[in-house]
Each structure stands twice: as structure tokens, then as C-alpha cells.
């Protein structure tokens, strides 16, 4: 774990002692270090540090921004979960006891003879950083419990996602026959895990905001209705209006629920960033399944009218910043082309100026 800080930053100074305690607590398990961005400006710029302090977790070359509480217990728990084993072997009785401990769990059902699959799942599990546990079992009772065909020695291993402590139904299923034969993609398995790692309904707060809003693989919602919205990549979340009332009002125009005794519903595209808070008839969205999915169908058909959660100046600044980052990235990856382009620019400018000067002299002669 790396902490990027600046000595003059007040929050960094408060975190200094906690970071030292974290290093002692995780000694021998996780390497904990820090980078002074006043001294190593180029390094911090290349990593993309935009504020202080920033915590980044590196696991086998994978970079993950730490968005949780900057408290000793929270950071220690995060690190321990991230370095936990890829999966835990269980029998049916043990699994059902653990089922109530987490909102989302993954269950790998296999015959016991497919080590290649076990290794692939263990490697892919790193993308979860311990957020949702993976259990592995050869129990025939669990196959039956979740309505899967009884296994045989040649059965295809299957990975299922179970949400809201469901003891009979699974939210998603992935057959791993490709991995078993050596033709599957570990990247596809990682994407599947990321798509299904959140609860059916998540609480959106400081710890989960970054993961939810930045996720590109979410596909959650009412299963029957989701089939009608083929291209939908969405999730359902809720926020405490009493705690986040001011932010909700500034971003989406939702009045403080603690004051006005009302619930607000918006469909958010955080990548834009824009949002929808009315149906096609201009009526506010409500906590009603038919109302929400009617609005979603209209939005994905391009018939909704979005509103911006940024003002004009903020939008211009964001677009300019994206352009600047794109140019910077192009220069880094195409150094020779950039140098050639700069040289050609100056050469052409030189000859253009020379031509203009010669033309002026010719005019003076007349």
C-alpha cells in the first residue's frame, strides 16, 4: 500500500501516525510505504495523483485506488481481505452457515479433478480485493440446492453469484468449461466477477461511491425487466437523505428528505455526468417498479431528456481537462511522432514567414 502525501497537507499530517501504526500491524503481510509528492513530483504526476493524501493499493501489478475511511481498522481490514486466499473450500453445511455473513458471495461448484479451474478462479478473485468471498465445493447437495444438474465426473464446473443470502436462487451463473479445457479467458472471468460483485441494492456512501460510480461492468436490477433493456448496464443504490441531503440537492435537485418527508429517484449516468428525474410525461420518478422501468426503457431508446449535474463552466473545465490528458497521453506513447510533428511545424512556419517577408520586399520594389 502506498500513501501519496505533501508535508504541508493538514489531512496528511493527521494520517501520518495512523499510517505508521498500519505498517507495524501489517508487517510481514503487506508492504506499506509512502511517497512525498513535493520531492517526487514527476512520479506523483505520472501516477495521476490529484489530491492529498491518496492511498493506492498494488496487488500483483494491479492498481486500485483506496476510497475507504482513512482509519486504522478500515485500512487494515481492506488489506487483510485483499490478501486473503482466492477461495475457501467448504461443504454444504459450512457454506449455509457462511451464507448469511455477506450480501454477495460466489460459489464454485466442481468435481474436484479440475485444478486448472481452481487456479484460474483463485487468480481472477484478486479483482474483488476480498470484497465478496468465493467458496468452492464439490457437494452434490449444493448443486441440488441451487437447481443445478447433478454433477458427474465429466461435469462442467460452474460459478454462481448469490445475493441477499438467497438459499435456493442464484443471481448469475457462469459455466467454466473453457477454463477446464485451457481455452477460456481469465479476463472474461474477472469481468464477470466485477459485474456481479455488488448487492441487489447497494448503500451509496463514502466507502462505496468510487466503486459504484466508476464501475463499467454493472448489470443489476429486476431480472425479467432487464431482459427487455438489452443494453442496460445499471445498478440500484440508495443514499441516506438526512446525511447526504445537501449533496443530493446540489447534484440532482432532490430536496432534503428529512425536511420534506419525500423520496427522490434519479437515473444517473455518472460518466457524462448527467441524470434523469422525470418520465416521458414530465412527472417525477417514484419508488414504483413500473414507473422506473418505463422510464428506463425510454432512456435507453433515446427518448429521455437528460439534465446536467454540472454547470456550464464545470463542463467546459472537465472537457478541457480530458483533452489535456489525452494530448499528454498521446505525447507519452508517440514520442517520435510528436518530435517529428514539432520539427515540421517549425520548419513550415519558418518557410511561411520567409515567403511572407520576400513578398513584402517584392511589393516594396514596386
Amino acid at each position: 500500500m502506498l500513501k501519496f502525501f505533501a508535508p504541508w497537507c493538514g489531512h496528511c499530517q493527521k494520517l501520518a501516525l495512523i499510517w505508521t501504526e498500519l505498517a507495524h500491524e501489517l508487517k510481514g503481510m503487506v508492504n506499506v510505504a509512502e511517497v512525498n509528492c513535493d520531492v517526487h513530483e514527476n512520479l506523483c504526476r505520472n501516477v495521476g495523483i490529484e489530491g492529498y493524501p491518496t492511498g493506492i493499493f498494488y496487488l500483483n501489478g494491479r492498481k486500485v485506488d483506496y476510497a475507504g475511511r482513512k482509519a486504522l481498522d478500515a485500512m487494515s481490514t481492506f488489506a487483510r481481505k485483499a490478501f486473503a486466499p482466492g477461495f475457501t473450500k467448504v461443504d454444504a453445511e459450512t457454506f449455509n452457515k457462511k451464507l448469511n455473513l455477506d450480501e454477495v458471495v460466489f460459489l464454485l461448484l466442481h468435481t474436484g479433478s479440475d485444478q486448472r479451474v481452481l487456479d484460474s478462479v483463485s487468480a481472477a478473485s484478486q479483482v474483488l480485493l476480498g470484497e465478496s468471498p468465493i467458496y468452492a465445493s464439490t457437494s452434490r447437495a449444493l448443486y441440488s440446492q441451487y437447481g443445478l444438474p447433478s454433477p458427474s465426473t465429466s461435469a462442467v464446473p460452474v460459478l454462481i453469484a448469490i445475493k441477499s443470502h438467497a438459499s435456493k436462487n442464484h443471481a448469475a451463473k457462469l459455466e467454466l468449461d473453457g477454463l477446464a479445457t485451457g481455452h477460456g479467458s481469465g479476463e472474461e472471468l474477472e469481468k464477470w466477477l466485477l459485474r456481479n460483485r455488488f448487492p441487489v441494492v447497494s448503500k451509496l456512501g463514502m466507502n462505496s461511491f468510487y466503486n459504484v460510480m466508476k464501475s463499467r461492468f454493472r448489470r443489476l436490477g429486476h431480472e425479467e425487466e432487464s431482459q427487455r433493456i438489452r443494453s442496460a448496464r445499471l445498478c440500484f443504490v440508495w443514499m441516506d437523505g438526512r446525511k447526504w441531503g445537501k449533496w443530493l440537492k446540489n447534484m440532482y435537485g432532490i430536496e432534503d428528505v428529512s425536511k420534506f418527508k419525500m423520496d427522490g429517484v434519479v437515473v444517473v449516468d455518472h460518466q457524462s455526468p448527467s441524470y434523469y428525474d422525470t418520465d416521458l410525461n414530465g412527472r417525477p420518478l417514484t419508488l414504483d417498479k413500473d414507473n422506473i422501468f418505463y422510464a428506463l426503457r425510454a432512456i435507453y431508446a433515446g427518448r429521455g431528456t437528460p439534465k446536467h449535474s454540472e454547470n456550464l463552466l464545470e463542463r467546459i473545465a472537465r472537457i478541457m481537462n480530458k483533452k489535456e490528458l489525452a494530448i499528454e497521453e498521446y505525447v507519452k506513447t508517440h514520442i517520435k511522432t510528436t518530435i517529428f510533428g514539432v520539427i515540421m511545424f517549425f520548419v513550415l512556419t519558418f518557410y511561411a514567414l520567409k515567403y511572407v517577408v520576400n513578398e513584402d520586399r517584392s511589393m516594396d520594389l514596386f
Side-chain angles (χ1 to χ4, degrees), residues 68-300:
R69 291 186 302 114
K70 292 179 174 61
L72 179 61
D73 60 336
M75 293 188 292
S76 176
T77 300
F78 174 84
R80 292 177 187 278
K81 282 186 175 182
F83 271 95
F87 58 84
T88 303
K89 294 182 178 181
V90 294
D91 55 24
E93 182 180 358
T94 303
F95 174 77
N96 282 299
K97 289 180 180 179
K98 292 182 176 295
L99 185 58
N100 293 322
L101 299 179
D102 299 275
E103 282 292 323
V104 179
V105 300
F106 294 96
L107 176 61
L108 171 63
L109 294 171
H110 62 107
T111 61
S113 59
D114 31 34
Q115 187 60 43
R116 182 179 292 168
V117 171
L118 295 177
D119 293 341
S120 297
V121 171
S122 179
S125 69
Q126 293 177 0
V127 298
L128 298 174
L129 292 172
E131 185 178 356
S132 301
I134 299 179
Y135 299 103
S137 180
T138 58
S139 170
R140 290 177 176 268
L142 288 175
Y143 275 91
S144 175
Q145 181 174 326
Y146 286 99
L148 300 172
S150 181
S152 63
T153 54
S154 60
V156 174
V158 61
L159 185 63
I160 60 176
I162 302 165
K163 302 183 180 184
S164 302
H165 319 295
S167 59
K168 294 183 179 180
N169 301 314
H170 54 272
K173 180 180 72 171
L174 179 66
E175 294 186 349
L176 304 176
D177 49 335
L179 292 176
T181 58
H183 297 94
S185 168
E187 183 179 352
E188 289 302 314
L189 175 56
E190 290 179 359
K191 290 182 179 180
W192 186 88
L193 289 171
L194 288 173
R195 280 199 302 268
N196 293 284
R197 76 188 191 274
F198 292 108
V200 174
V201 179
S202 302
K203 180 180 179 180
L204 195 62
M206 292 182 63
N207 292 343
S208 61
F209 185 90
Y210 181 86
N211 287 334
V212 171
M213 289 301 197
K214 296 296 183 181
S215 175
R216 297 179 182 273
F217 305 108
R218 298 297 303 281
R219 184 190 286 271
L220 294 179
H222 191 278
E223 187 66 25
E224 178 183 348
E225 293 289 343
S226 293
Q227 295 300 321
R228 303 178 188 177
I229 309 172
R230 297 292 182 180
S231 61
R233 290 181 179 270
L234 57 96
C235 66
F236 289 96
V237 300
W238 67 275
M239 296 187 77
D240 186 343
R242 293 168 297 182
K243 183 177 181 180
W244 295 89
K246 186 176 180 180
W247 182 85
L248 288 169
K249 183 177 180 180
N250 291 337
M251 287 292 290
Y252 308 122
I254 300 176
E255 299 291 352
D256 187 345
V257 295
S258 64
K259 179 179 179 180
F260 293 94
K261 307 296 182 184
M262 62 178 289
D263 296 320
V265 178
V266 291
V267 179
V268 178
D269 179 3
H270 194 68
Q271 305 298 326
S272 300
S274 59
Y275 67 97
Y276 304 80
D277 60 359
T278 59
D279 59 21
L280 286 179
N281 298 317
R283 294 173 299 198
L285 296 179
T286 61
L287 282 175
D288 176 79
K289 184 191 74 172
D290 294 333
N291 176 267
I292 291 174
F293 282 104
Y294 175 74
L296 286 174
R297 284 193 291 271
I299 291 169
Y300 283 105

